[in-house]
Amino acid sequence: ALLLSIALVRMMGNSASGNFKSNVGSVDIELDFAIDPERGQDELRSSGYFFNEQGECRNIETNDRVGRFPSQQKYEEFGAALERYIFFLLRDQYKMIEKIINSTSQDTDSEDDAQPETKIDSKSNDDDDDENDQKQSDTTTDADHENTQSNSEKPENADNNQLKKKPEKNGKPPRKPRATRSKIDANKLAKARIYLSPNYGEKRTLLLLIPGSGAVRAGQWARSICINDNLAAGTMYPFIAEAYKRDWGVILFDPNGRTDHGRIYSDEHVMFVYERWVEKRWLSRPDCAIENVLIVCHSAGGMATTQLLNRKTKYLLPRIRGVAGTDTFFGRASSKQVQAVYRRYIVNWVTSSADVGTKLSDTVPKRVSAGHTAHEYTSAAAFKHIFSFFDAMLKMHKSGGDSKKKDVDSGGGGGGDGNVNEVQKDLKKKKDEKDEQEKEKGNDKDENEENAAAEQTQCDAENDQNQQTDTAKPKDEMDVD
């Protein structure tokens, strides 16, 4: 009974909990825009709460932070409303394109993704049972699964429409050529929403954001942080904003949907989204603009990333430039090529009281401190360090030419520690430069003060000397005009 009570308190997101309350505001991270306290928040306000300009959830009447909800049901209802509000901001603020997987409607997906119509009320972003899904979704049919694999991965000259017919044998018709099928079981694909940044396939760098397990959907790292702390620390908004600043494409995964049987198959979701919206549509094309792929995966998202790297070696591995795990775990690498990626390109920021980026072990993949002791805060705490890591890896690849690509193709793997050290050096250099600037400002101030003091001293000395001279003069010389 005691354990059940503790579990319920955690699920209810009670900000009165001492442990959680001590973490509120513990991460230096902000939204890149001011939240409108009214727009899109009708459903949230009907529950008695709203998000202020800083992205903090507040009580409408008292402006206090969220306390205990009267029941688990009320908490879940508010969580569902929050989920829809986060989706609304993805479309409204970041202009991301929503795709719904495994609906029952006709597949409306096309090569040219139209800009979605902005909806003012976040409640219009329906829940799982709303019929409006049929108007804007991507249906997963058997044909979709059969054709998910890129045509370029078929054997040479395997165009089924042009294969020569073999003569009948023993009076039996020849076998039909085996279709290229995805290995994903359609029964393991739950209904889910993913989000694509505009023109993501035309960008040089593509960022994939994969959350962990639990009550989080696309765009979220931790629902409890969104409710009890702020949206900046609990959502992927800062990651999207930084990617946009660098002109990167972004895809948000949604691996926690449940199938009709109530099961969650995160690996299959991640694999399907990658196959359909990344590899089939872009990476397998000879004129593909995407040269670099970066991944951020939190918690259980690391295992889905492992499966992706192990199974998608042809087009994905040569483009991997960095994988940032946040308190996650990775599975076993299935080949030398993947082992090389583990050594060279993956860093796992884990819970630790040490300064962010501090190396914690010599394991592969590398483990460094996220600068926070709470699991759910690791993505937000390591946010700035992760992007410095990505910037350094992209810069290193650009300066190294094709050497890194050949390294991965051949299964080699240069000194992995050098990549983290490079980031740490870069951060230390920036810090030293900032300290030096502050020091120079301080020196200038001290020097100015010293000069002023010296000038004052000299002036006082001259005045004293003049007074002494005047005193020594004859009286008749003192008053001459």
Side-chain angles (χ1 to χ4, degrees):
L2 178 60
L3 292 176
L4 179 61
S5 299
I6 294 173
L8 285 175
V9 168
R10 287 181 176 177
M11 292 172 69
M12 292 175 69
N14 178 17
S15 64
S17 170
N19 291 336
F20 199 98
K21 190 174 182 180
S22 65
N23 287 323
V24 171
S26 61
V27 176
D28 181 19
I29 191 169
E30 297 178 349
L31 295 172
D32 63 304
F33 66 101
I35 295 286
D36 187 326
E38 300 286 342
R39 181 178 170 83
Q41 298 201 46
D42 291 349
E43 190 178 11
L44 295 171
R45 285 179 166 274
S46 68
S47 299
Y49 296 96
F50 76 103
F51 282 92
N52 62 17
E53 291 186 356
Q54 292 74 39
E56 300 168 344
C57 191
R58 298 282 180 169
N59 186 291
I60 290 178
E61 296 181 356
T62 65
N63 202 40
D64 292 335
R65 287 188 178 273
V66 176
R68 288 189 178 182
F69 285 81
S71 67
Q72 180 64 23
Q73 181 181 352
K74 290 296 183 182
Y75 174 74
E76 293 299 337
E77 290 174 357
F78 184 78
L82 169 63
E83 180 181 298
R84 289 186 281 272
Y85 179 61
I86 290 173
F87 291 159
F88 163 74
L89 289 178
L90 289 174
R91 299 191 308 269
D92 183 69
Q93 178 64 31
Y94 296 104
K95 310 304 178 187
M96 299 197 82
I97 299 162
E98 181 182 82
K99 294 292 181 181
I100 302 177
I101 299 171
N102 220 13
S103 176
T104 56
S105 72
Q106 204 63 16
D107 189 355
T108 59
D109 183 36
S110 64
E111 289 295 324
D112 299 322
D113 293 312
Q115 183 84 354
E117 182 178 350
T118 300
K119 302 175 183 177
I120 302 300
D121 187 358
S122 65
K123 188 174 182 179
S124 61
N125 186 5
D126 49 312
D127 207 349
D128 285 352
D129 298 326
D130 199 306
E131 295 178 357
N132 290 335
D133 288 349
Q134 298 182 5
K135 298 180 181 179
Q136 55 171 356
S137 64
D138 283 284
T139 304
T140 307
T141 64
D142 290 340
D144 289 333
H145 292 294
E146 291 178 8
N147 297 315
T148 298
Q149 200 83 348
S150 168
N151 290 333
S152 58
E153 289 189 337
K154 297 179 181 179
E156 293 184 7
N157 301 321
D159 187 344
N160 295 338
N161 296 324
Q162 298 180 2
L163 286 176
K164 296 180 180 179
K165 293 183 178 180
K166 295 183 180 180
E168 294 187 7
K169 186 176 182 181
N170 299 327
K172 296 181 180 180
R175 286 185 178 181
K176 293 181 179 180
R178 179 179 295 178
T180 302
R181 291 176 178 268
S182 169
K183 295 181 180 180
I184 301 172
D185 184 351
N187 294 320
K188 293 183 178 181
L189 280 175
K191 181 177 175 181
R193 285 177 173 85
I194 65 167
Y195 289 85
L196 317 170
S197 64
N199 305 314
Y200 72 96
E202 299 174 8
K203 307 299 182 180
R204 178 172 293 182
T205 299
L206 178 63
L207 176 63
L208 311 180
L209 299 178
I210 306 174
S213 60
V216 289
R217 305 304 294 265
Q220 300 179 52
W221 294 124
R223 186 171 72 173
S224 60
I225 296 179
C226 294
I227 295 174
N228 293 283
D229 199 335
N230 63 75
L231 292 177
T235 70
M236 299 177 181
Y237 294 159
F239 288 77
I240 299 169
E242 282 299 311
Y244 279 13
K245 288 179 184 178
R246 292 160 170 77
D247 196 30
W248 297 351
V250 182
I251 295 181
L252 309 184
F253 291 74
D254 184 26
N256 293 313
R258 292 185 180 275
T259 65
D260 294 337
H261 302 92
R263 299 288 300 278
I264 297 174
Y265 296 95
S266 301
D267 296 356
E268 283 74 12
H269 167 85
V270 172
M271 190 69 63
F272 174 73
V273 172
Y274 166 80
E275 285 184 350
R276 181 162 186 176
W277 279 279
V278 182
E279 184 170 293
K280 178 184 177 182
R281 181 164 296 180
W282 300 108
L283 299 192
S284 61
R285 291 169 50 170
D287 59 343
C288 176
I290 300 172
E291 298 177 2
N292 314 303
V293 176
L294 304 168
I295 302 175
V296 181
C297 50
H298 175 62
S299 192
M303 287 303 297
T305 302
T306 297
Q307 294 298 319
L308 193 62
L309 296 175
N310 280 338
R311 292 171 58 180
K312 294 298 173 183
T313 59
K314 182 174 182 180
Y315 299 107
L316 180 61
L317 288 193
R319 290 177 168 89
I320 288 291
R321 303 291 174 255
V323 177
T326 54
D327 213 31
T328 187
F329 39 91
F330 297 95
R332 185 184 299 273
S334 63
S335 66
K336 290 183 178 180
Q337 290 92 334
V338 179
Q339 289 173 5
V341 170
Y342 272 37
R343 284 192 297 270
R344 181 179 290 278
Y345 298 113
I346 300 182
V347 178
N348 190 9
W349 279 263
V350 302
T351 53
S352 172
S353 58
D355 291 341
V356 60
T358 302
K359 183 180 175 182
L360 300 178
S361 70
D362 293 319
T363 58
V364 176
K366 292 168 287 295
R367 295 173 73 253
V368 301
S369 172
H372 208 288
T373 57
H375 167 76
E376 63 272 18
Y377 275 92
T378 50
S379 298
F383 161 67
K384 294 178 181 178
H385 207 261
I386 287 172
F387 274 87
S388 294
F389 167 67
F390 284 160
D391 290 341
M393 296 304 293
L394 290 172
K395 182 179 179 181
M396 188 182 300
H397 173 77
K398 186 176 181 180
S399 63
D402 293 331
S403 60
K404 309 294 186 305
K405 177 178 180 298
K406 292 178 181 177
D407 222 5
V408 173
D409 290 342
S410 63
D417 291 337
N419 300 330
V420 178
N421 293 337
E422 193 71 26
V423 176
Q424 291 173 334
K425 289 179 181 178
D426 184 53
L427 291 174
K428 185 177 184 303
K429 181 179 178 182
K430 291 179 180 178
K431 184 177 183 300
D432 291 343
E433 289 176 351
K434 185 177 180 180
D435 292 343
E436 187 65 28
Q437 291 175 355
E438 294 295 331
K439 185 177 179 181
E440 288 178 358
K441 290 180 181 178
N443 291 340
D444 291 342
K445 182 179 179 181
D446 293 341
E447 185 176 347
N448 291 336
E449 291 176 353
E450 290 176 0
N451 290 339
E455 290 176 0
Q456 184 64 41
T457 302
Q458 183 178 359
C459 182
D460 292 342
E462 290 176 353
N463 290 336
D464 291 343
Q465 184 177 2
N466 290 336
Q467 290 177 2
Q468 292 173 3
T469 303
D470 291 342
T471 303
K473 288 181 181 179
K475 185 176 181 180
D476 57 344
E477 292 183 6
M478 291 178 63
D479 298 323
V480 176
D481 290 336

